[in-house]
């Protein structure tokens, strides 16, 4: 039906007053397809995992970095205020600037290795009849840290001292992440955060930002233990091999990995015998024992054994490394006689034992007592065997050796599982209280963990 009233009406698309605010599609002529509205292209985020990683591990790095920076600044302030380093030999705790102290003592040896390499030899001291009968030689210091020092110096243009500090600082943050990861698997994320904070303020932590190999070794050892806990056996073996090129304390780590691997193989063998070709409770068939734990056991000691063998070959005596340690530095395994001598002399004010240094030794005694108190608390948590064996053997090797006793505070840094029971107890603290406790400890660590070791003792 045609309505004459509509005959002269304008078409819909020209009826402008009625199309105010309408979309472009609504103004299309009748019978034509509406224009497709395209939204701006959405560019996918290249690293979608980055925000999650930053959210989880950012607080760990921030807490550790803040605590270390506080302790480091206090350490530098004490050095500058006392000024004793200006009157000491640049090789033995002295230098023109406060930061030069960080590269003295062992740091001097590492720089010599990075600059000139090794020349292993047993050179007798003419006419010597006491403890020191052999001249010091760089072969007593393991090669991975000076190799990284040389590599970073070449890549960045920094001097050997600056490159060594860079390696130590980066490794200390890697160690903080590893300690957090290990502790979090036992006590949760908040306990891991507290453990990373304890790593920054523990006695001996002043060595973490210096030209020493402690940070690098603890980073390798902690990540190796974490890899064992996650059953990443080949990774654990390679990390342990690298740790064996860093410090002789890797003996404890190698033994810990071997025990954990053999326990895993034994458990697999029992499951094979029990289930045979039938699938186990997890639905997997176990027709044979996985070779990776045994491969890790074979890989782990290659670094340590290889270096000791090379030194012995160059010296013409395969016991040369141990003869050098005993003859040049009076370091040897004495089954704890030196430790017993310190513990029976220091409480009564006698300092007639070997390598006596009252202030440094007092910190060492406190560290040993703290470790012995915390050890039963660690065992009560029933941690994985790799952590138990590594901690027990590290403590046994340190306390069973004749050495400068005051250094036990840094020698016990690799026994990082001792942080776990403390961190588990601290996880109940509120964030402000936790930061206050660790902050006070960080402020004090500039003295007991830094100044005492470098200036009032022999690190």
């Amino acid at each position: 039906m045609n309505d004459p009233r509509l005959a002269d009406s304008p078409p819909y698309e020209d009826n402008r007053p009625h199309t105010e605010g309408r979309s472009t599609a609504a103004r299309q002529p009748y019978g034509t397809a509406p224009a497709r509205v395209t939204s701006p292209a959405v560019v996918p985020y290249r690293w979608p995992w980055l925000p999650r990683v930053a959210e989880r591990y950012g607080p760990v790095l921030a807490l550790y970095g803040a605590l270390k920076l506080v302790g480091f600044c206090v350490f530098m302030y004490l050095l500058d205020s006392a000024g004793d380093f200006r009157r000491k030999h640049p090789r033995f705790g002295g230098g023109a600037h406060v930061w030069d102290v960080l590269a003295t003592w062992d740091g001097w040896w590492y720089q010599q290795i990075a600059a000139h390499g090794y020349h292993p030899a047993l050179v007798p001291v003419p006419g010597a009849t006491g403890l020191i009968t052999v001249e010091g030689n760089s072969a007593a210091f393991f090669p991975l840290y000076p190799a990284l020092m040389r590599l970073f110096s070449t890549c960045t243009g920094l001097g050997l001292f600056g490159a060594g500090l860079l390696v130590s600082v980066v490794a200390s943050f890697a160690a903080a992440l590893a300690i957090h990861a290990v502790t979090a698997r036992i006590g949760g994320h908040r306990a891991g955060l507290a453990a990373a904070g304890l790593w920054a303020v523990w006695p001996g932590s002043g060595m973490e930002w210096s030209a020493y190999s402690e940070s690098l070794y603890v980073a390798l050892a902690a990540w190796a233990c974490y890899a064992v806990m996650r059953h990443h056996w080949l990774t654990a073996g390679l990390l342990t091999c690298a740790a064996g090129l860093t410090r002789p304390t890797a003996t404890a780590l190698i033994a810990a990995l071997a025990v954990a691997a053999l326990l895993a193989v034994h458990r697999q063998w029992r499951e094979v015998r029990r289930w045979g070709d039938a699938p186990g409770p997890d639905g997997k068939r176990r027709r044979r024992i996985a070779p990776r734990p045994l491969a890790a056991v074979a890989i782990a000691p290659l670094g340590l054994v290889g270096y000791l063998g090379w030194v012995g070959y160059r010296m013409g005596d395969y016991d040369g490394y141990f003869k050098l340690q005993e003859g040049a530095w009076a370091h040897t395994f004495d089954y704890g006689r030196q430790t017993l001598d310190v513990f029976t002399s220091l409480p009564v004010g006698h300092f007639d034992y070997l390598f006596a240094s009252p202030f440094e030794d007092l910190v060492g005694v406190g560290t040993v007592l703290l470790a012995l108190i915390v050890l039963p608390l660690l065992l009560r948590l029933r941690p994985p065997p790799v952590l138990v064996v590594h901690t027990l053997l590290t403590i046994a090797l340190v306390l069973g050796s004749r050495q400068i006793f005051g250094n036990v505070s840094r020698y016990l840094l690799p026994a990082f599982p001792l942080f776990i029971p403390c961190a588990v107890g601290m996880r109940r603290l509120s964030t402000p209280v936790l930061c206050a406790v660790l902050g006070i400890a960080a402020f004090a660590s500039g003295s007991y963990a830094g100044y005492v070791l470098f200036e009032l003792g022999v690190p």
Side-chain angles (χ1 to χ4, degrees), residues 25-50:
R27 297 196 295 269
Q28 293 296 325
Y30 180 74
T32 61
R36 179 174 296 177
V37 180
T38 58
S39 60
V42 178
V43 180
Y45 193 63
R46 181 173 295 182
W47 297 296
W49 48 266
L50 188 58

Side-chain angles (χ1 to χ4, degrees), residues 200-273:
V201 302
W202 202 258
S205 59
M207 318 304 298
E208 295 168 12
W209 286 8
S210 65
Y212 278 62
S213 61
E214 267 70 18
S215 291
L216 178 61
Y217 176 76
V218 173
L220 293 170
W223 280 118
C225 291
Y226 181 73
V228 170
M229 294 168 67
R230 295 291 303 273
H231 304 291
H232 298 164
W233 294 106
L234 295 182
T235 301
L238 292 173
L239 290 171
T240 304
C241 178
L245 291 170
T246 308
R247 294 193 66 82
T249 320
T251 305
L253 183 62
I254 294 169
L257 183 144
V259 170
L262 293 178
L263 289 175
V265 169
H266 178 67
R267 182 168 58 253
Q268 293 176 7
W269 178 75
R270 290 181 60 185
E271 291 177 352
V272 169
R273 288 194 58 187

Side-chain angles (χ1 to χ4, degrees), residues 16 21 31 45 54 95 107 121 123 204 216 221 290 308 320 339 400 436-437 445:
R16 304 300 181 189
Y45 193 63
V123 181
L216 178 61
L308 294 180
T339 302
V437 171
S445 69

Side-chain angles (χ1 to χ4, degrees), residues 111 154 341 395:
Q111 291 182 81
T154 302
D341 194 13
I395 294 175

Side-chain angles (χ1 to χ4, degrees), residues 13 16 40 91 93 117 131 168 180 182 229 231 281 287 300 307-309 331 338 352 363 438 449:
E13 61 270 21
R16 304 300 181 189
R91 182 177 166 184
L131 287 175
S168 295
H180 167 270
V182 170
M229 294 168 67
H231 304 291
R287 297 183 178 180
Y307 178 70
L308 294 180
H331 289 185
Q338 165 77 358
D352 52 355
V363 174
L438 292 175

